[in-house]
Amino acid sequence: MRRMPHAPPVSPSLALVLPPVLLHELPARAAVLWPAQRALTAGDQHTTYTELQAQVNALAAGLLSLQLDRGERVAVFLEKRVEAVVASFGVTAAGGVLVPVNPLLKPAQVAHILQDSGAQVLVTSASRAAQLTAVLAECPALRHVVLCDGMASTGLGPVQPHAWADVLQAPATSLPAVLETDVAAIFYTSGSTGRPKGVVLSHRNLVAGAGSVAGYLENTTADTLLAALPLSFDAGFSQLTTAFLVGARVVLLNYLLPRDVLQAMAREQVTGLTAVPPLYMQLAALDWPAEATRSLRYWANTGGRMPRATLERLRERAPQAAPYLMYGLTEAFRSTFLPPSQVDMRPDSIGRAIPNVEILVLRDDGTACDADEPGELVHRGPLVALGYWNRPEETALRFRALPGALVAGRQGVAAAELAVYSGDTVRRDAEGFLYFVGRRDEMIKTSGYRVSPTEVEEAVYASGLVREVLAVGVAHETLGQVIHVAAVAADLANTDTLLAHCRAQLPGYMVPVAVHWSTEPLPRNPNGKLDRPRWKADWQRDNEQGKT
């Protein structure tokens, strides 16, 4: 049976009663409930939910006209723009699997994702396609490239180019059946500890995550969320899913400078901002115009622990906005949050489990840790991803069944439920609040102690002498490792005053032995987080070449 062109794939009566189950039902349901509400703002372009859903349906039909089979992968390599959002939901409506690609990646990195995912279709722009001409031949599965702003003239080889407008003109057709347990997307990790690997997410993962986050952030149709993070980052994509669930508006922002974020907040009267600590550190150093905070209802931190000094500065700049300190991992999206009411009492805590999630702190033998005993954070619930794409050994290491003694009421089930073992060390206090200690693979082992680099970084940052800082362990013959820090100086900073501060605040084994000052911003991975492994590798290379 043929559908009428651009008809919503769910009936109005059901949409008004049933919650969404599939990823692409989020904008479809919103188009029924809030048809005239603005879904997206990109510069001076505004798109209502009705207009967004029409484009999603049209793209789904267009992808099917390219013979996209159910479960085939479609990569989206675009900056934040309306076409990127349309593609993200049109892919799954067509029964495909979304593979968002960070627009900051270089051609070789993009090629790795295309090769690893086996993407059959690439949605990008003509200028980005031109950058990829040398590597597309290395992607044998790729058959089609859809160009959202024109046609590439040459260089695509055997890959067939299509204009976005032409694809959207395909005849309407019946869409394939999709289940909530089917694969919806593959999000690639930043690759700071190796080549990026794909985390496989189901429709259920993404929709359940949207419901949980929208619940504790209390999002409504009155909200305007600023999409400052890449849509290839799970927290960035969450701005879309969370907003579409409740009929809110998303402002798509491709910023060059931190001040651009403040200007967008003022111009669009943003009510909700989610970002990573490095961006918040930069924002905290700026003067905020009154218009930027006039409508701000909350700001949320993800992707690392927020330094207390940054937290205090942000609260000074936006005293009426509620701070949400959150912790998550791509393998389970979001795990914990600290309610704003607890921030004054527990500013260093990552909070408790988000709704519909259980968080455990376990020893290496699988038993539960005592209060304040460090252990591995283990996440259980519907947000746990399906595993890593084409990496069964790594999947088996990270995604495992919980010990039977820890899971009640599962006797007689057909298969064991899998939890994700995060690789992060945390501790839980006597009242159940969690505190991040560090990544197990980034812990610094010095003088017989295990030191969290984040704890050193926070102490350095609290000095007020630096704008950015990261800490790493460097091999030492007798101590195992010693601590080096890289920093971007604030006014009047120097090594002697910084180390004096550290000696006053930290035990001797945690005091850095060297400070490496930089006049440029410290390296970041594609998701905006400070990249310790990259800085360390660059420093070691320069040190071996006698450049340091």
Side-chain angles (χ1 to χ4, degrees):
M1 177 184 296
R2 294 171 62 85
R3 290 182 181 270
M4 294 297 292
H6 315 330
V10 291
S11 70
S13 59
L14 288 178
L16 289 170
V17 177
L18 299 178
V21 173
L22 305 175
L23 178 64
H24 50 276
E25 288 180 352
L26 290 168
R29 174 174 171 271
V32 174
L33 297 176
W34 309 285
Q37 177 86 349
R38 286 180 176 176
L40 299 171
T41 294
D44 57 1
Q45 178 185 5
H46 303 286
T47 305
T48 67
Y49 276 108
T50 296
E51 294 166 341
L52 173 62
Q53 183 56 26
Q55 293 185 59
V56 168
N57 283 344
L59 180 65
L63 291 173
L64 290 172
S65 74
L66 301 181
Q67 306 303 309
L68 182 75
D69 288 334
R70 182 176 173 182
E72 288 190 327
R73 277 74 63 204
V74 179
V76 179
F77 180 47
L78 287 169
E79 67 277 17
K80 290 189 282 290
R81 55 193 295 171
V82 172
E83 292 88 348
V85 178
V86 170
S88 297
F89 294 86
V91 166
T92 63
V97 174
L98 169 68
V99 182
V101 182
N102 194 308
L104 298 179
L105 297 186
K106 303 299 183 183
Q109 297 168 305
V110 176
H112 165 71
I113 292 176
L114 295 177
Q115 294 162 0
D116 190 73
S117 67
Q120 287 83 12
V121 180
L122 171 64
V123 180
T124 188
S125 62
S127 60
R128 291 182 182 277
Q131 298 171 14
L132 300 176
T133 53
V135 300
L136 288 183
E138 303 169 10
C139 307
L142 192 65
R143 305 192 310 265
H144 303 280
V145 174
V146 178
L147 301 164
C148 67
D149 58 356
M151 292 291 286
S153 55
T154 59
L156 297 184
V159 181
Q160 184 176 357
H162 306 269
W164 175 270
D166 292 341
V167 173
L168 264 62
Q169 291 302 313
T173 186
S174 296
L175 302 180
V178 180
L179 303 179
E180 66 173 332
T181 51
D182 286 346
V183 177
I186 304 173
F187 278 68
Y188 276 78
T189 61
S190 58
S192 60
T193 58
R195 298 202 79 179
K197 55 179 177 284
V199 177
V200 182
L201 301 170
S202 69
H203 288 265
R204 182 191 186 208
N205 293 151
L206 293 165
V207 175
S212 183
V213 173
Y216 69 76
L217 291 180
E218 301 179 356
N219 292 118
T220 70
T221 56
D223 274 321
T224 292
L225 309 185
L226 183 63
L229 296 172
L231 300 183
S232 57
F233 183 29
D234 57 296
F237 194 78
S238 171
Q239 304 313 297
L240 299 177
T241 57
T242 302
F244 293 175
L245 177 66
V246 301
R249 178 174 69 118
V250 178
V251 176
L252 303 175
L253 177 67
N254 301 289
Y255 68 91
L256 295 175
L257 299 171
R259 192 169 297 281
D260 297 337
V261 176
L262 296 177
Q263 292 173 347
M265 291 168 61
R267 181 177 64 253
E268 301 297 340
Q269 289 300 285
V270 167
T271 65
L273 172 66
T274 298
V276 292
L279 176 56
Y280 278 129
M281 292 178 193
Q282 293 174 323
L283 293 176
L286 300 175
D287 293 326
W288 289 31
E291 294 81 2
T293 62
R294 182 166 294 138
S295 299
L296 192 65
R297 184 172 64 80
Y298 72 85
W299 57 266
N301 175 65
T302 189
R305 188 168 70 179
M306 173 72 76
R308 188 179 298 190
T310 301
L311 171 63
E312 293 172 353
R313 290 173 192 169
L314 290 172
R315 296 184 76 186
E316 291 173 357
R317 282 154 175 73
Q320 85 292 349
Y324 286 85
L325 306 183
M326 305 187 297
Y327 162 92
L329 61 160
T330 306
E331 291 84 353
F333 172 52
R334 194 70 49 74
S335 296
T336 70
F337 82 100
L338 184 69
S341 62
Q342 296 290 321
V343 170
D344 286 330
M345 293 178 284
R346 298 176 173 87
D348 297 323
S349 174
I350 58 173
R352 291 170 163 164
I354 68 172
N356 207 18
V357 164
E358 182 178 7
I359 298 298
L360 303 99
V361 182
L362 302 183
R363 304 184 182 102
D364 290 340
D365 63 4
T367 58
C369 291
D370 295 328
D372 291 320
E373 177 187 359
E376 184 172 11
L377 183 146
V378 179
H379 176 126
R380 173 183 177 237
L383 276 65
V384 173
L386 302 181
Y388 297 120
W389 180 255
N390 283 339
R391 294 175 183 246
E393 295 84 5
E394 291 186 51
T395 296
L397 288 174
R398 183 64 68 91
F399 298 86
R400 309 198 301 272
L402 289 169
L406 296 178
V407 186
R410 303 266 318 160
Q411 296 84 357
V413 296
E417 174 194 13
L418 297 183
V420 61
Y421 287 68
S422 69
D424 287 347
T425 299
V426 300
R427 64 178 179 85
R428 189 196 309 268
D429 67 19
E431 297 180 65
F433 288 89
L434 294 157
Y435 297 80
F436 182 82
V437 176
R439 289 285 307 171
R440 289 192 168 194
D441 53 12
E442 291 185 344
M443 295 293 282
I444 301 169
K445 304 174 183 66
T446 179
S447 304
Y449 296 93
R450 290 172 59 85
V451 175
S452 166
T454 58
E455 189 173 357
V456 177
E457 290 162 0
E458 183 158 338
V460 172
Y461 190 76
S463 70
L465 299 171
V466 304
R467 299 190 186 278
E468 296 179 357
V469 62
L470 55 79
V472 300
V474 175
H476 189 273
E477 289 184 1
T478 58
L479 300 178
Q481 290 180 308
V482 290
I483 300 170
H484 287 223
V485 297
V488 176
D491 296 337
L492 304 177
N494 62 65
T495 300
D496 290 341
T497 55
L498 181 59
L499 292 182
H501 166 82
C502 291
R503 284 190 288 269
Q505 299 297 321
L506 297 170
Y509 64 86
M510 292 179 65
V511 174
V513 301
V515 179
H516 306 273
W517 297 104
S518 174
T519 57
E520 300 293 329
L522 298 178
R524 286 166 167 73
N525 65 29
N527 290 335
K529 303 177 187 177
L530 291 179
D531 195 334
R532 294 190 193 97
R534 178 179 159 194
W535 182 88
K536 183 176 179 180
D538 290 347
W539 177 81
Q540 289 176 328
R541 183 195 63 238
D542 291 344
N543 190 51
E544 291 169 358
Q545 296 174 356
K547 296 180 181 180
T548 60

